Amino acid sequence: MDEDRPVLTQITENVLVRQSDFCRTNTVIVRGDAGVLLIDPGIHGYELAALADELIEHGDTVTVGFSTHPHWDHLLWHARLGSATRYGTARCAATAQAKLDVGREMATQTAQDVSLDLFGAIVALAPGTEYIPWDGPRVRIVEHQAHAPGHAALLIEDDRVLVAGDMVSDVLIPMLDLRGGHHPVQDYLDGLRRLEDVASHADLVMPGHGSVGSGDELRGRIEQDRAYVVALQAGDDPVDARVGPGATYGRDWLPAVHARQVRDLAARMAADPRIGFGEQHRNI
Ligand SMILES: [Zn+2]
């Protein structure tokens, strides 16, 4: 089984990554002075256990965890990773708590041999917290409401790595928060703007799902995501290579997600045209 085991890959001085067998989910580890920060631990039980093994081999202990957003695939944990505080933004923690049963059910359907006892136990950071409270490199919190409530990208400042959460993927299209969000389109565009604001501080981007990218690729992916969302906003069916005939990933399921999103947003905008726009347009 060892040969199947994903390995940690060091991408900068303090940052290591590994990818899950599920949906190219990325886990990021930041080395600190007394231990590591573990961001979005992974999916399957055997992966989380292997991660714990690797950390032990390296002499690392997890001193703090972080979930980028309150979707099930970012809320898992394993007892062998220890009892570190697992942070999220206040909205992330509140949403994870409110949707604990739904998240557990989704995890049960997909994640293999995983204990759900520790699922979703996220501690809220005070609203407006700028940096992860820990003994290690400065990690800036870039919160927005795209894709999920309280979604946070993390900028590891000295290493110039942006951990983007579930945006700016090379393989997944933007997925709007069509269930919970009041302004899912504008929230997404605002989120992209937040990433754009910090993009000049990043030489590498690590999306929640997909491949690591350069700073230039980050800027290109922001534009690609924005073009997709702007087309949705205009009521068009976006043309996007990630769900086009040349797509290299998710050909058996992603086009259906895309089609459902186009249809659901069109229906919501037909019922309430303000859905496609932000607060500032509410009264027109
Ligand atoms: Zn995800």
Side-chain angles (χ1 to χ4, degrees):
M1 96 183 242
D2 272 0
E3 60 267 25
D4 296 329
R5 193 174 80 178
V7 292
L8 283 166
T9 304
Q10 187 165 7
I11 60 167
T12 62
E13 184 183 349
N14 299 304
V15 180
L16 301 95
V17 300
R18 59 179 290 149
Q19 197 166 74
S20 168
D21 295 336
F22 171 75
C23 203
R24 298 194 187 176
T25 305
N26 292 311
T27 293
V28 176
I29 280 165
V30 187
R31 285 218 167 103
D33 299 335
V36 304
L37 160 65
L38 173 54
I39 306 165
D40 293 347
I43 308 297
H44 300 303
Y46 64 88
E47 295 174 336
L48 301 179
L51 175 59
D53 284 346
E54 290 192 39
L55 291 174
I56 290 164
E57 274 169 35
H58 288 128
D60 290 320
T61 51
V62 180
T63 53
V64 57
F66 190 86
S67 286
T68 55
H69 62 288
H71 288 166
W72 74 268
D73 50 323
H74 302 261
L75 298 175
L76 292 145
W77 196 260
H78 193 291
R80 289 182 52 213
L81 292 169
S83 55
T85 302
R86 297 151 58 192
Y87 290 114
T89 66
R91 282 192 189 188
C92 171
T95 305
Q97 186 59 40
K99 303 206 168 162
L100 209 51
D101 290 343
V102 179
R104 278 204 182 108
E105 178 58 30
M106 293 177 82
T108 302
Q109 287 170 16
T110 305
Q112 295 168 23
D113 96 68
V114 76
S115 164
L116 297 177
D117 296 348
L118 299 167
F119 180 88
I122 305 302
V123 172
L125 288 166
T129 301
E130 229 181 321
Y131 291 96
I132 302 248
W134 82 305
D135 200 6
R138 287 215 304 182
V139 179
R140 196 195 308 177
I141 298 166
V142 181
E143 183 179 352
H144 55 78
Q145 308 307 322
H147 179 69
H151 197 172
L154 297 177
L155 179 68
I156 304 152
E157 291 184 336
D158 286 350
D159 291 71
R160 297 181 58 84
V161 175
L162 181 67
V163 180
D166 282 7
M167 297 169 75
V168 293
S169 170
D170 56 325
V171 290
L172 299 186
I173 49 171
M175 294 182 193
L176 279 59
D177 186 11
L178 290 176
R179 294 210 185 94
H182 295 300
H183 303 289
V185 176
Q186 194 60 47
D187 284 346
Y188 212 100
L189 294 173
D190 290 348
L192 289 170
R193 178 62 58 86
R194 295 280 283 137
L195 298 189
E196 195 168 41
D197 287 344
V198 296
S200 64
H201 300 282
D203 295 331
L204 292 173
V205 61
M206 179 55 68
H209 307 272
S211 310
V212 64
S214 66
D216 283 345
E217 283 167 326
L218 167 59
R219 283 178 280 278
R221 291 180 193 181
I222 290 170
E223 288 308 324
Q224 189 180 21
D225 278 3
R226 182 152 41 217
Y228 180 98
V229 177
V230 165
L232 278 185
Q233 186 178 41
D236 295 334
D237 186 348
V239 175
D240 191 294
R242 295 169 291 192
V243 284
T248 57
Y249 178 77
R251 294 171 66 98
D252 55 336
W253 62 275
L254 204 48
V257 170
H258 165 70
R260 190 170 65 232
Q261 180 159 254
V262 171
R263 191 187 61 228
D264 288 359
L265 186 62
R268 278 189 64 173
M269 287 202 291
D272 180 358
R274 294 168 300 182
I275 289 291
F277 298 92
E279 201 71 34
Q280 67 272 30
H281 296 107
R282 287 192 102 183
N283 297 319
I284 61 172

